[in-house]
Amino acid sequence: MSAPAHGHAVWWDGVTARRRDVTLRLDPDALAILENGAETARWPWPDLRRRDAGPDVTRVGCVSAEGLARLDVADPGLAAAIVARAPAFETATGGGRRFRTKVVIGSLAVAVSLVLTTLYLLPLVAERLVPFVPVSWEERLGGIADKQVKSIFSAETCDAPAGRAALDVLTAKLVGAADVGTGQAGEGVRIAVLRSATKNAIALPGGRIYLFDGLLQMARSPDEIAGVLAHEIGHAKARDGLRSLIQAGGSSFLLGLLFGDVTGSSTVVFAARLMVDGSHSREAERAADRESARIMTSLGRPAAPMAAFLLRVTGENAGKGISLLLTHPLSEERLAALKALDRGTSEPPLLDETQWQALRGICRR
Protein backbone atom coordinates (compact mmCIF):
# COMPACT_ATOMS: atom_id res chain seq x y z
CA MET A 1 0.00 0.00 0.00
CA SER A 2 1.53 3.32 -1.07
CA ALA A 3 1.92 6.22 1.36
CA PRO A 4 -0.80 8.89 1.06
CA ALA A 5 0.04 11.98 -0.98
CA HIS A 6 -2.41 14.12 0.92
CA GLY A 7 -4.49 14.15 4.09
CA HIS A 8 -6.02 16.25 6.81
CA ALA A 9 -4.41 18.03 9.80
CA VAL A 10 -4.96 20.80 12.32
CA TRP A 11 -2.85 23.93 11.77
CA TRP A 12 -1.88 26.85 13.95
CA ASP A 13 -0.16 29.56 11.95
CA GLY A 14 1.91 30.92 14.86
CA VAL A 15 0.35 34.37 14.58
CA THR A 16 -3.20 33.85 15.84
CA ALA A 17 -4.54 31.37 18.38
CA ARG A 18 -7.22 30.09 15.98
CA ARG A 19 -7.31 26.36 15.24
CA ARG A 20 -7.63 25.73 11.49
CA ASP A 21 -8.58 22.51 9.74
CA VAL A 22 -6.41 22.14 6.65
CA THR A 23 -5.46 19.67 3.94
CA LEU A 24 -1.86 18.65 3.44
CA ARG A 25 -0.39 17.87 0.03
CA LEU A 26 2.97 16.13 -0.14
CA ASP A 27 4.74 17.79 -3.08
CA PRO A 28 8.23 16.73 -4.21
CA ASP A 29 9.94 19.78 -2.68
CA ALA A 30 7.67 20.82 0.19
CA LEU A 31 4.67 20.10 2.38
CA ALA A 32 1.83 22.22 1.02
CA ILE A 33 -0.84 23.48 3.46
CA LEU A 34 -4.23 24.10 1.84
CA GLU A 35 -7.23 25.79 3.39
CA ASN A 36 -10.57 25.73 1.58
CA GLY A 37 -8.75 24.39 -1.50
CA ALA A 38 -6.25 27.27 -1.67
CA GLU A 39 -2.59 26.87 -0.81
CA THR A 40 -1.84 28.91 2.31
CA ALA A 41 1.74 27.93 3.09
CA ARG A 42 4.59 25.73 1.89
CA TRP A 43 7.04 24.11 4.31
CA PRO A 44 10.23 22.78 2.65
CA TRP A 45 11.01 19.20 3.64
CA PRO A 46 14.49 19.99 5.07
CA ASP A 47 12.91 22.58 7.41
CA LEU A 48 10.44 20.23 9.11
CA ARG A 49 11.06 19.29 12.76
CA ARG A 50 9.24 17.22 15.34
CA ARG A 51 7.54 19.17 18.12
CA ASP A 52 6.41 17.79 21.49
CA ALA A 53 2.86 16.43 21.46
CA GLY A 54 0.64 13.70 22.91
CA PRO A 55 1.00 10.00 22.02
CA ASP A 56 -1.83 10.00 19.43
CA VAL A 57 -0.62 12.96 17.40
CA THR A 58 2.49 13.74 15.39
CA ARG A 59 3.24 17.44 15.74
CA VAL A 60 5.18 19.06 12.91
CA GLY A 61 7.03 22.36 13.10
CA CYS A 62 9.00 24.32 10.56
CA VAL A 63 12.20 26.26 11.25
CA SER A 64 11.45 28.74 8.47
CA ALA A 65 7.91 29.45 9.72
CA GLU A 66 6.67 31.37 12.76
CA GLY A 67 8.04 29.98 16.04
CA LEU A 68 4.61 28.87 17.28
CA ALA A 69 3.41 27.52 13.93
CA ARG A 70 2.63 23.80 14.01
CA LEU A 71 0.64 21.01 12.39
CA ASP A 72 -1.05 18.21 14.31
CA VAL A 73 -1.34 15.07 12.19
CA ALA A 74 -3.57 12.33 13.64
CA ASP A 75 -3.39 9.92 10.67
CA PRO A 76 -0.43 7.52 11.32
CA GLY A 77 0.02 6.81 7.61
CA LEU A 78 0.15 10.48 6.69
CA ALA A 79 2.51 11.19 9.59
CA ALA A 80 4.83 8.39 8.48
CA ALA A 81 4.88 9.76 4.94
CA ILE A 82 5.82 13.21 6.20
CA VAL A 83 8.56 11.84 8.45
CA ALA A 84 9.96 9.80 5.57
CA ARG A 85 10.32 12.92 3.40
CA ALA A 86 11.80 15.18 6.12
CA PRO A 87 15.54 14.40 6.46
CA ALA A 88 16.03 16.47 9.63
CA PHE A 89 12.70 15.73 11.28
CA GLU A 90 14.20 14.37 14.53
CA THR A 91 16.84 17.12 14.82
CA ALA A 92 16.39 18.98 18.12
CA THR A 93 17.70 22.28 16.78
CA GLY A 94 16.54 25.05 14.51
CA GLY A 95 13.12 26.57 15.14
CA GLY A 96 12.67 24.96 18.54
CA ARG A 97 15.89 26.45 19.80
CA ARG A 98 15.08 29.85 18.28
CA PHE A 99 11.65 29.72 19.85
CA ARG A 100 13.08 28.89 23.28
CA THR A 101 15.57 31.73 22.85
CA LYS A 102 12.70 34.08 22.06
CA VAL A 103 10.84 32.91 25.16
CA VAL A 104 13.91 33.46 27.37
CA ILE A 105 14.55 36.90 25.88
CA GLY A 106 10.87 37.81 26.22
CA SER A 107 10.80 36.66 29.86
CA LEU A 108 13.91 38.68 30.66
CA ALA A 109 12.37 41.72 28.97
CA VAL A 110 9.22 41.35 31.09
CA ALA A 111 11.28 40.98 34.27
CA VAL A 112 13.39 44.05 33.45
CA SER A 113 10.29 46.09 32.63
CA LEU A 114 8.71 45.08 35.96
CA VAL A 115 11.82 46.13 37.86
CA LEU A 116 12.06 49.46 36.04
CA THR A 117 8.35 50.10 36.50
CA THR A 118 8.60 49.32 40.22
CA LEU A 119 11.70 51.45 40.77
CA TYR A 120 10.83 54.48 38.65
CA LEU A 121 7.28 54.60 37.32
CA LEU A 122 5.31 53.49 40.40
CA PRO A 123 6.92 56.06 42.75
CA LEU A 124 6.09 58.79 40.23
CA VAL A 125 2.50 57.56 39.85
CA ALA A 126 2.08 57.34 43.62
CA GLU A 127 3.44 60.87 44.08
CA ARG A 128 1.00 62.27 41.53
CA LEU A 129 -1.96 60.20 42.72
CA VAL A 130 -1.82 60.82 46.48
CA PRO A 131 -3.17 64.42 46.41
CA PHE A 132 -6.29 63.24 44.58
CA VAL A 133 -7.18 60.42 47.01
CA PRO A 134 -9.90 61.61 49.43
CA VAL A 135 -9.03 61.34 53.12
CA SER A 136 -12.10 59.13 53.64
CA TRP A 137 -10.71 56.63 51.12
CA GLU A 138 -7.32 56.75 52.79
CA GLU A 139 -8.90 55.95 56.13
CA ARG A 140 -10.64 52.91 54.63
CA LEU A 141 -7.37 51.70 53.12
CA GLY A 142 -5.75 52.25 56.48
CA GLY A 143 -8.40 50.06 58.10
CA ILE A 144 -7.57 47.21 55.73
CA ALA A 145 -3.82 47.61 56.26
CA ASP A 146 -4.44 47.81 60.02
CA LYS A 147 -6.01 44.33 60.06
CA GLN A 148 -3.16 42.92 58.01
CA VAL A 149 -0.48 44.42 60.27
CA LYS A 150 -2.10 42.92 63.35
CA SER A 151 -2.39 39.59 61.56
CA ILE A 152 1.23 39.62 60.39
CA PHE A 153 2.52 40.20 63.91
CA SER A 154 -0.25 38.27 65.70
CA ALA A 155 -0.48 41.37 67.89
CA GLU A 156 -3.24 43.07 69.80
CA THR A 157 -3.58 46.63 71.02
CA CYS A 158 -2.39 47.19 74.59
CA ASP A 159 -4.88 49.05 76.77
CA ALA A 160 -3.86 48.96 80.43
CA PRO A 161 -5.84 51.95 81.82
CA ALA A 162 -2.94 53.87 83.38
CA GLY A 163 -0.72 53.28 80.36
CA ARG A 164 -3.47 54.29 77.96
CA ALA A 165 -4.05 57.49 79.93
CA ALA A 166 -0.33 58.33 79.78
CA LEU A 167 -0.26 57.64 76.02
CA ASP A 168 -3.29 59.89 75.53
CA VAL A 169 -1.49 62.72 77.35
CA LEU A 170 1.59 62.30 75.18
CA THR A 171 -0.48 62.01 71.99
CA ALA A 172 -2.43 65.19 72.76
CA LYS A 173 0.77 67.18 73.24
CA LEU A 174 2.42 65.86 70.08
CA VAL A 175 -0.64 66.26 67.87
CA GLY A 176 -1.29 69.72 69.26
CA ALA A 177 2.23 70.78 68.34
CA ALA A 178 2.06 69.12 64.92
CA ASP A 179 -0.20 71.90 63.58
CA VAL A 180 -2.20 69.59 61.33
CA GLY A 181 -4.49 71.65 59.10
CA THR A 182 -8.17 70.95 58.52
CA GLY A 183 -8.76 68.17 56.01
CA GLN A 184 -5.22 66.80 56.16
CA ALA A 185 -4.67 63.09 56.56
CA GLY A 186 -2.95 63.54 59.89
CA GLU A 187 -5.94 65.36 61.40
CA GLY A 188 -7.28 62.13 62.90
CA VAL A 189 -3.96 60.81 64.23
CA ARG A 190 -4.49 57.79 66.46
CA ILE A 191 -1.56 56.27 68.33
CA ALA A 192 -1.59 52.85 69.98
CA VAL A 193 0.88 50.31 71.30
CA LEU A 194 0.92 46.79 69.88
CA ARG A 195 1.79 43.82 72.06
CA SER A 196 4.80 42.60 70.09
CA ALA A 197 8.51 42.18 70.74
CA THR A 198 9.22 43.75 67.36
CA LYS A 199 11.35 46.88 67.66
CA ASN A 200 9.51 49.15 65.29
CA ALA A 201 7.00 51.95 64.84
CA ILE A 202 4.88 52.47 61.72
CA ALA A 203 2.39 54.97 60.32
CA LEU A 204 -0.47 53.48 58.29
CA PRO A 205 -2.72 55.38 55.89
CA GLY A 206 -5.43 57.40 57.58
CA GLY A 207 -3.40 58.54 60.59
CA ARG A 208 -3.02 55.19 62.39
CA ILE A 209 0.32 55.03 64.18
CA TYR A 210 1.56 51.93 65.97
CA LEU A 211 4.37 51.78 68.49
CA PHE A 212 5.51 48.22 69.14
CA ASP A 213 6.09 47.27 72.77
CA GLY A 214 9.52 45.86 71.91
CA LEU A 215 10.64 49.36 70.93
CA LEU A 216 8.92 51.00 73.91
CA GLN A 217 10.81 48.77 76.33
CA MET A 218 14.15 49.85 74.86
CA ALA A 219 13.44 53.55 75.44
CA ARG A 220 15.10 55.25 78.40
CA SER A 221 13.09 58.46 78.48
CA PRO A 222 9.80 59.97 77.27
CA ASP A 223 11.76 62.20 74.88
CA GLU A 224 13.07 59.18 72.97
CA ILE A 225 9.61 57.74 72.40
CA ALA A 226 8.08 61.17 71.79
CA GLY A 227 10.65 61.84 69.06
CA VAL A 228 9.83 58.55 67.34
CA LEU A 229 6.08 59.22 67.52
CA ALA A 230 6.61 62.77 66.24
CA HIS A 231 8.55 61.28 63.33
CA GLU A 232 5.59 59.00 62.53
CA ILE A 233 3.22 61.96 62.78
CA GLY A 234 5.41 63.59 60.13
CA HIS A 235 4.83 60.57 57.89
CA ALA A 236 1.09 60.74 58.58
CA LYS A 237 0.91 64.45 57.70
CA ALA A 238 2.79 63.84 54.45
CA ARG A 239 0.57 60.81 53.67
CA ASP A 240 3.65 58.67 53.22
CA GLY A 241 1.76 55.57 54.32
CA LEU A 242 -0.73 56.00 51.48
CA ARG A 243 2.10 56.64 49.04
CA SER A 244 3.87 53.45 50.17
CA LEU A 245 0.65 51.44 49.96
CA ILE A 246 0.02 52.62 46.39
CA GLN A 247 3.58 51.71 45.40
CA ALA A 248 3.50 48.34 47.17
CA GLY A 249 0.04 47.54 45.86
CA GLY A 250 1.12 48.44 42.35
CA SER A 251 4.13 46.16 42.64
CA SER A 252 1.93 43.37 43.95
CA PHE A 253 -0.55 43.86 41.11
CA LEU A 254 2.24 43.66 38.52
CA LEU A 255 3.49 40.44 40.10
CA GLY A 256 -0.09 39.18 40.07
CA LEU A 257 -0.30 39.83 36.35
CA LEU A 258 2.90 37.86 35.90
CA PHE A 259 1.90 34.90 38.07
CA GLY A 260 -1.85 34.92 37.50
CA ASP A 261 -3.12 36.19 40.87
CA VAL A 262 -4.60 39.69 40.81
CA THR A 263 -7.23 39.29 43.53
CA GLY A 264 -7.70 42.33 45.70
CA SER A 265 -7.13 40.47 48.95
CA SER A 266 -3.73 39.11 47.99
CA THR A 267 -2.68 42.51 46.68
CA VAL A 268 -3.55 44.22 49.97
CA VAL A 269 -1.84 41.51 52.03
CA PHE A 270 1.33 41.74 49.96
CA ALA A 271 1.22 45.52 50.02
CA ALA A 272 0.78 45.58 53.79
CA ARG A 273 3.76 43.29 54.22
CA LEU A 274 5.90 45.51 52.00
CA MET A 275 4.80 48.55 53.96
CA VAL A 276 5.90 46.94 57.21
CA ASP A 277 9.15 45.49 55.93
CA GLY A 278 10.07 48.20 53.40
CA SER A 279 11.38 51.68 53.82
CA HIS A 280 10.25 55.14 52.89
CA SER A 281 12.31 57.18 50.49
CA ARG A 282 15.29 59.01 51.89
CA GLU A 283 13.62 62.35 51.31
CA ALA A 284 10.49 61.18 53.14
CA GLU A 285 12.65 60.13 56.09
CA ARG A 286 14.47 63.45 56.15
CA ALA A 287 11.16 65.32 56.03
CA ALA A 288 9.77 63.22 58.89
CA ASP A 289 12.96 63.89 60.86
CA ARG A 290 12.55 67.62 60.35
CA GLU A 291 8.92 67.44 61.46
CA SER A 292 9.92 65.45 64.54
CA ALA A 293 12.54 68.05 65.45
CA ARG A 294 10.06 70.87 64.86
CA ILE A 295 7.41 69.26 67.07
CA MET A 296 9.86 68.49 69.88
CA THR A 297 11.47 71.95 69.86
CA SER A 298 8.04 73.63 69.80
CA LEU A 299 7.26 71.69 72.98
CA GLY A 300 10.51 72.87 74.53
CA ARG A 301 12.06 69.41 74.40
CA PRO A 302 15.27 68.25 72.69
CA ALA A 303 15.26 66.63 69.25
CA ALA A 304 18.55 64.73 69.64
CA PRO A 305 17.34 61.91 71.95
CA MET A 306 15.44 60.27 69.07
CA ALA A 307 18.64 60.09 67.03
CA ALA A 308 20.57 58.56 69.91
CA PHE A 309 17.70 56.13 70.51
CA LEU A 310 17.61 54.97 66.87
CA LEU A 311 21.36 54.52 66.86
CA ARG A 312 21.18 52.46 70.03
CA VAL A 313 18.34 50.29 68.71
CA THR A 314 19.98 49.57 65.38
CA GLY A 315 23.34 48.95 67.04
CA GLU A 316 22.03 46.48 69.61
CA ASN A 317 19.72 44.63 67.22
CA ALA A 318 21.60 44.55 63.93
CA GLY A 319 20.61 41.45 61.99
CA LYS A 320 17.99 40.32 64.52
CA GLY A 321 14.69 40.22 62.67
CA ILE A 322 12.68 43.33 61.88
CA SER A 323 14.13 46.40 63.53
CA LEU A 324 13.69 50.11 63.24
CA LEU A 325 16.63 50.11 60.83
CA LEU A 326 14.47 48.58 58.11
CA THR A 327 11.79 51.26 58.07
CA HIS A 328 13.99 54.09 59.32
CA PRO A 329 17.50 53.57 57.90
CA LEU A 330 19.84 55.63 60.07
CA SER A 331 22.91 57.35 58.67
CA GLU A 332 25.54 59.67 60.04
CA GLU A 333 24.02 62.38 57.86
CA ARG A 334 20.59 62.00 59.50
CA LEU A 335 22.12 61.80 62.94
CA ALA A 336 24.07 65.02 62.39
CA ALA A 337 20.99 66.72 60.90
CA LEU A 338 18.86 65.88 63.93
CA LYS A 339 21.51 67.13 66.32
CA ALA A 340 21.80 70.35 64.30
CA LEU A 341 18.04 70.92 64.71
CA ASP A 342 18.18 70.39 68.47
CA ARG A 343 17.35 73.50 70.51
CA GLY A 344 17.88 72.00 73.95
CA THR A 345 15.41 71.84 76.82
CA SER A 346 13.24 74.70 78.03
CA GLU A 347 10.13 72.92 79.32
CA PRO A 348 9.41 70.09 81.79
CA PRO A 349 9.31 66.48 80.53
CA LEU A 350 6.27 65.57 78.44
CA LEU A 351 5.45 62.85 80.96
CA ASP A 352 6.32 62.74 84.63
CA GLU A 353 7.98 59.64 86.07
CA THR A 354 4.69 58.05 87.13
CA GLN A 355 3.17 58.55 83.69
CA TRP A 356 6.33 57.29 82.00
CA GLN A 357 6.36 54.07 83.99
CA ALA A 358 2.64 53.63 83.31
CA LEU A 359 3.24 54.00 79.59
CA ARG A 360 6.04 51.43 79.69
CA GLY A 361 3.64 49.06 81.42
CA ILE A 362 0.77 49.57 78.98
CA CYS A 363 1.03 45.97 77.76
CA ARG A 364 1.20 44.42 81.21
CA ARG A 365 -1.93 42.66 82.31
Side-chain angles (χ1 to χ4, degrees):
M1 181 177 179
S2 62
H6 60 81
H8 298 286
V10 176
W11 182 43
W12 285 269
D13 63 9
V15 178
T16 67
R18 184 166 64 91
R19 167 194 170 111
R20 297 157 73 171
D21 294 319
V22 297
T23 300
L24 302 182
R25 188 180 68 230
L26 284 60
D27 292 344
D29 62 329
L31 177 64
I33 302 172
L34 295 84
E35 188 174 23
N36 299 322
E39 184 175 302
T40 303
R42 290 182 67 81
W43 288 3
W45 294 116
D47 292 351
L48 301 192
R49 301 289 188 274
R50 183 185 294 277
R51 297 286 183 258
D52 293 335
D56 300 326
V57 173
T58 298
R59 179 163 292 172
V60 183
C62 178
V63 298
S64 57
E66 292 290 338
L68 291 174
R70 61 201 185 276
L71 287 163
D72 280 353
V73 182
D75 182 346
L78 179 61
I82 293 172
V83 173
R85 287 169 170 78
F89 192 72
E90 302 296 345
T91 304
T93 57
R97 176 176 294 175
R98 288 206 300 271
F99 172 65
R100 288 191 293 272
T101 301
K102 289 180 180 178
V103 171
V104 171
I105 293 174
S107 299
L108 288 174
V110 170
V112 170
S113 66
L114 283 174
V115 171
L116 293 177
T117 299
T118 300
L119 292 178
Y120 298 105
L121 182 58
L122 283 178
L124 181 62
V125 170
E127 188 69 32
R128 298 291 186 270
L129 188 59
V130 162
F132 298 99
V133 177
V135 172
S136 59
W137 289 15
E138 181 179 355
E139 290 175 347
R140 269 180 270 175
L141 287 172
I144 297 173
D146 175 79
K147 293 177 182 177
Q148 293 302 327
V149 167
K150 290 179 179 177
S151 174
I152 290 168
F153 292 99
S154 301
E156 60 182 5
T157 303
C158 299
D159 56 3
R164 182 68 247 182
L167 181 60
D168 288 344
V169 169
L170 183 59
T171 298
K173 291 179 179 179
L174 293 173
V175 172
D179 190 26
V180 180
T182 302
Q184 286 184 256
E187 185 180 11
V189 167
R190 287 153 288 176
I191 301 175
V193 178
L194 285 185
R195 191 187 307 277
S196 171
T198 300
K199 298 170 179 62
N200 207 348
I202 56 175
L204 302 180
R208 288 177 170 84
I209 294 174
Y210 282 126
L211 172 66
F212 291 81
D213 189 50
L215 184 64
L216 176 59
Q217 297 309 314
M218 287 198 68
R220 296 174 182 171
S221 72
D223 286 335
E224 292 183 345
I225 287 298
V228 170
L229 293 178
H231 178 99
E232 297 302 334
I233 290 174
H235 281 310
K237 285 181 63 176
R239 308 180 80 177
D240 291 333
L242 176 62
R243 190 174 291 104
S244 295
L245 191 61
I246 292 173
Q247 288 183 226
S251 301
S252 175
F253 184 75
L254 289 177
L255 290 174
L257 288 178
L258 184 62
F259 295 111
D261 179 10
V262 292
T263 59
S265 58
S266 63
T267 297
V268 171
V269 170
F270 188 73
R273 287 182 180 273
L274 286 181
M275 270 189 52
V276 172
D277 296 339
S279 63
H280 295 294
S281 70
R282 291 185 178 182
E283 182 51 41
E285 288 299 331
R286 293 191 189 100
D289 282 348
R290 291 192 294 270
E291 179 63 11
S292 175
R294 190 194 66 78
I295 291 173
M296 293 300 289
T297 55
S298 70
L299 291 170
R301 302 303 302 170
M306 183 189 80
F309 181 37
L310 297 187
L311 191 60
R312 188 171 74 249
V313 170
T314 55
E316 292 182 13
N317 294 274
K320 298 180 181 178
I322 298 174
S323 75
L324 203 65
L325 180 61
L326 290 176
T327 48
H328 303 277
L330 195 64
S331 66
E332 292 300 323
E333 177 191 356
R334 287 184 62 200
L335 182 58
L338 281 166
K339 288 182 177 180
L341 293 170
D342 198 349
R343 297 293 179 268
T345 302
S346 61
E347 297 293 335
L350 299 177
L351 297 177
D352 61 32
E353 185 60 25
T354 300
Q355 292 172 320
W356 171 234
Q357 294 306 322
L359 176 58
R360 285 173 51 82
I362 192 172
C363 291
R364 297 172 191 165
R365 293 177 177 173

